[in-house]
């Protein structure tokens, strides 16, 4: 495999200027004049190149990437197989629209999705451009297949920013405030949040709570779908109590409700298995994917039971760009890299290395109220010592400290008090530990 320019980026952190440097500052001025203020950035640093675990900015600074562009560049930036597939495809043809004249790449991605998503039942897929679009289509399919309209979503859920997915998303700021009215017939239930649920609440008990509310306020026979992220992402990297998802899946099956696992963030090797659902022993009826699927190109999918997927009339699903051939080529390259380069095991290795280091930091800093996650989808929840009162101010300060020192970390959580780690799976241990060392310094200095 020939290496690309990006993988030759030195794999180290190196700051040549304070951040943001002068060229980034110039670009930031142009940006402010031309780009809508509603589109904001975590770091005011403009990118020149990226690869492995490093982002190089336009001033020649090398940053450690612990965010993967929000869990997208799971195989690293400009992965050689992604680059090769894209280069070939972009030279052959860029677009015909699969709904007009189809091409093999789309079919090959659908075949991979059938093979890799949980369960050995007959499956089919439809491809889209973004995670939100995949979620919208999963709901369309579930409604059409069941003839019902109600949809039940979870507390702390994040499913996107389009109108229907805003309705499914829990958090008002910044995702929903001022953007209503929202799509109707969406209901929310508490799910399972072990740190904040009553002490000792089991997964089965949390599921009984969800089910009781859904049955009382909606009625099981009215519900087309229950949708949940098996490991909740933007809401705080919440891992449900063991058995929660299985109990919900059983209730769905018993009541003819489509169980939709939104694996847009947790899917495609991120959590150490192809999909997070596997780790909870569930087989969802529909799975939505995006983010890590295509090494950085925009692609998304709904994959599910063939009889559900085929319930929709011909022409009822699609879109101009859905399953674009260049994005499909990227996905085939990314999936091959995950399999051939052992990235599922690498995600598990990252969990071992990072969670051990995080526990060390926690032992000196009681502000770290919880360490959780799976694989390379890990987080710390920051609280007032001695309790679980969220400390968003300290969280923001810790993130800023890391950013100023060239470590890209992201925050999340309904209460804004979670620092999440989503490193590319190709990151080296040294770089990962150096990034976590800066996180440790942040706590030493600020906590
Ligand atoms: C990011 C995300 C989405 C939305 O994906 P976009 O590509 O941003 O539209 C949906 N669901 C989950 C779980 C996500 O993390």
């Amino acid at each position: 495999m020939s290496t690309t320019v990006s993988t030759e980026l030195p794999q180290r952190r190196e700051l040549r200027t304070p951040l943001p440097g002068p060229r980034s500052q110039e670009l930031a001025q142009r940006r402010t004049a031309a780009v809508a203020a509603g589109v904001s950035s975590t770091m005011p640093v403009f990118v020149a190149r990226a690869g492995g675990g490093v982002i190089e900015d336009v001033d020649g600074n090398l940053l450690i990437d612990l965010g993967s562009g929000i869990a997208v560049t799971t195989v690293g930036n400009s992965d050689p197989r992604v680059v090769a597939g894209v280069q070939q495809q972009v030279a052959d043809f860029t677009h015909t629209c699969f709904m007009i004249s189809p091409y093999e790449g789309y079919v090959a991605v659908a075949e991979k999705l059938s093979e890799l998503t949980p369960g050995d039942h007959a499956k089919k897929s439809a491809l889209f451009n973004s995670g939100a679009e995949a979620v919208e289509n999963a709901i369309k399919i579930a409604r059409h297949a069941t003839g019902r309209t109600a949809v039940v979503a979870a507390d702390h859920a994040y499913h996107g920013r389009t109108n229907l997915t805003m309705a499914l998303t829990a958090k008002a700021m910044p995702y929903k405030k001022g953007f209503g009215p929202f799509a109707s017939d969406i209901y929310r239930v508490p799910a399972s949040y072990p740190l904040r649920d009553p002490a000792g609440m089991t997964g089965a008990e949390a599921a009984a709570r969800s089910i009781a509310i859904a049955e009382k306020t909606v009625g099981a026979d009215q519900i087309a779908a229950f949708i949940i992220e098996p490991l909740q992402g933007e809401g705080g990297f919440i891992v449900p109590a063991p058995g929660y998802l299985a109990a919900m899946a059983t209730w769905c099956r018993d009541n003819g409700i489509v169980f939709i696992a939104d694996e847009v963030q947790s899917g495609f090797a991120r959590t150490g298995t192809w999909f997070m659902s596997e780790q909870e022993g569930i087989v969802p009826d529909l799975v939505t994917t995006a983010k890590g699927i295509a090494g950085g190109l925009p692609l998304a999918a709904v994959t599910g039971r063939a009889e559900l997927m085929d319930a929709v009339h011909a022409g009822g699903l699609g879109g101009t760009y859905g399953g674009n051939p260049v994005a499909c080529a990227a996905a085939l390259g990314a999936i091959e890299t995950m399999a051939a380069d052992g990235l599922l095991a690498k995600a598990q290795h990252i969990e071992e290395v990072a969670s051990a280091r995080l526990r060390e930091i926690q032992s000196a800093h009681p502000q770290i109220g919880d360490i959780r996650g799976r694989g390379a989808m890990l987080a710390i929840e920051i609280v007032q010592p001695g309790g679980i009162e969220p400390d968003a101010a300290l969280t923001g300060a810790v993130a800023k400290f890391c950013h100023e020192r060239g470590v890209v970390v992201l925050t999340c959580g309904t209460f804004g008090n979670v620092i999440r780690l989503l490193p590319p799976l190709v990151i080296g241990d040294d770089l990962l530990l150096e990034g976590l060392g800066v996180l440790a310094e942040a706590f030493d200095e600020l906590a």
Side-chain angles (χ1 to χ4, degrees):
M1 186 55 52
S2 66
T3 50
T4 64
V5 171
S6 288
T7 56
E8 286 163 9
L9 264 183
Q11 294 296 301
R12 62 165 188 275
R13 180 171 63 115
E14 186 180 318
L15 297 188
R16 299 183 175 177
T17 73
L19 297 179
R23 294 207 52 213
S24 276
Q25 289 182 39
E26 270 170 47
L27 286 165
Q29 280 187 2
R30 281 172 53 195
R31 173 217 175 110
T32 304
V35 178
V39 184
S40 66
S41 299
T42 301
M43 289 180 70
V45 166
F46 282 74
V47 178
R49 296 191 300 170
V54 164
I55 294 173
E56 183 182 27
D57 78 2
V58 289
D59 293 288
N61 298 301
L62 301 176
L63 319 181
I64 300 178
D65 181 10
L66 300 183
S68 300
I70 321 186
V72 169
T73 50
T74 302
V75 294
N77 253 292
S78 302
D79 167 66
R81 291 187 186 86
V82 171
V83 171
V86 164
Q87 284 175 338
Q88 184 62 51
Q89 182 58 51
V90 85
D92 288 345
F93 67 96
T94 50
H95 173 85
T96 59
C97 188
F98 192 76
M99 298 187 303
I100 297 177
S101 36
Y103 38 86
E104 183 178 350
Y106 189 118
V107 178
V109 170
E111 287 168 349
K112 280 284 169 203
L113 285 160
S114 292
E115 181 191 320
L116 298 174
T117 52
D120 50 16
H121 51 281
K123 295 173 204 158
K124 296 199 179 181
S125 291
L127 305 186
F128 303 97
N129 303 296
S130 68
E133 207 188 345
V135 169
E136 290 238 10
N137 278 279
I139 303 294
K140 282 166 65 173
I141 292 162
R143 283 177 168 162
H144 201 291
T146 59
R148 304 175 182 174
T149 57
V151 176
V152 173
D155 274 353
H156 309 290
Y158 182 85
H159 297 293
R161 297 170 177 270
T162 57
N163 187 265
L164 176 57
T165 59
M166 274 192 294
L168 295 167
T169 290
K171 194 175 178 181
M173 267 302 277
Y175 308 123
K176 303 171 73 164
K177 191 181 171 206
F179 298 140
F182 303 111
S184 61
D185 233 2
I186 309 281
Y187 305 88
R188 193 173 307 288
V189 296
S192 171
Y193 191 159
L195 181 71
R196 295 185 179 279
D197 284 339
M201 182 180 244
T202 64
E205 288 162 356
R209 177 178 63 179
S210 303
I211 291 164
I213 294 172
E215 290 187 341
K216 293 276 183 301
T217 62
V218 196
D221 62 355
Q222 303 299 302
I223 301 171
F226 171 64
I227 181 166
I228 190 162
E229 304 149 80
L231 196 169
Q232 291 186 301
E234 305 301 307
F237 278 33
I238 304 163
V239 185
Y244 174 77
L245 291 170
M248 293 307 293
T250 300
W251 173 71
C252 287
R253 196 178 54 237
D254 292 348
N255 290 281
I257 298 165
V258 177
F259 185 106
I260 304 172
D262 182 354
E263 294 251 19
V264 165
Q265 193 158 163
S266 57
F268 276 106
R270 174 55 56 188
T271 61
T273 46
W274 282 106
F275 294 94
M276 177 65 193
S277 294
E278 295 164 50
Q279 297 182 38
E280 300 299 316
I282 55 167
V283 177
D285 300 309
L286 299 178
V287 179
T288 54
T289 52
K291 292 200 166 97
I293 189 176
L297 273 81
L299 188 73
V302 182
T303 303
R305 296 187 185 281
E307 65 277 16
L308 289 176
M309 296 298 295
D310 281 345
V312 179
H313 49 272
L317 302 174
T320 306
Y321 292 115
N324 169 272
V326 181
C328 286
L332 294 171
I335 292 167
E336 193 187 332
T337 288
M338 289 174 197
D341 294 357
L343 294 189
L344 280 64
K346 185 65 195 302
Q348 294 164 19
H349 171 77
I350 287 171
E351 177 177 344
E352 276 169 36
V353 171
S355 53
R357 185 71 180 97
L358 291 172
R359 278 194 298 272
E360 265 174 35
I361 305 174
Q362 184 187 38
S363 65
H365 297 290
Q367 291 85 358
I368 300 181
D370 197 15
I371 300 171
R372 58 176 181 253
R374 298 281 171 82
M377 185 170 181
L378 299 172
I380 51 176
E381 177 156 354
I382 300 176
V383 297
Q384 310 282 355
I388 56 165
E389 187 63 32
D391 192 340
L394 178 59
T395 307
V398 166
K400 184 162 175 278
F401 182 101
C402 294
H403 297 162
E404 285 166 357
R405 283 156 188 80
V407 180
V408 182
V409 295
L410 310 177
T411 58
C412 66
T414 298
F415 313 109
N417 68 326
V418 176
I419 292 197
R420 56 172 155 172
L421 304 173
L422 291 164
L425 302 185
V426 294
I427 195 170
D429 285 3
D430 290 355
L431 211 54
L432 175 63
L433 287 169
E434 189 184 337
L436 296 176
V438 173
L439 186 69
E441 280 171 42
F443 278 96
D444 291 342
E445 193 118 327
L446 302 165

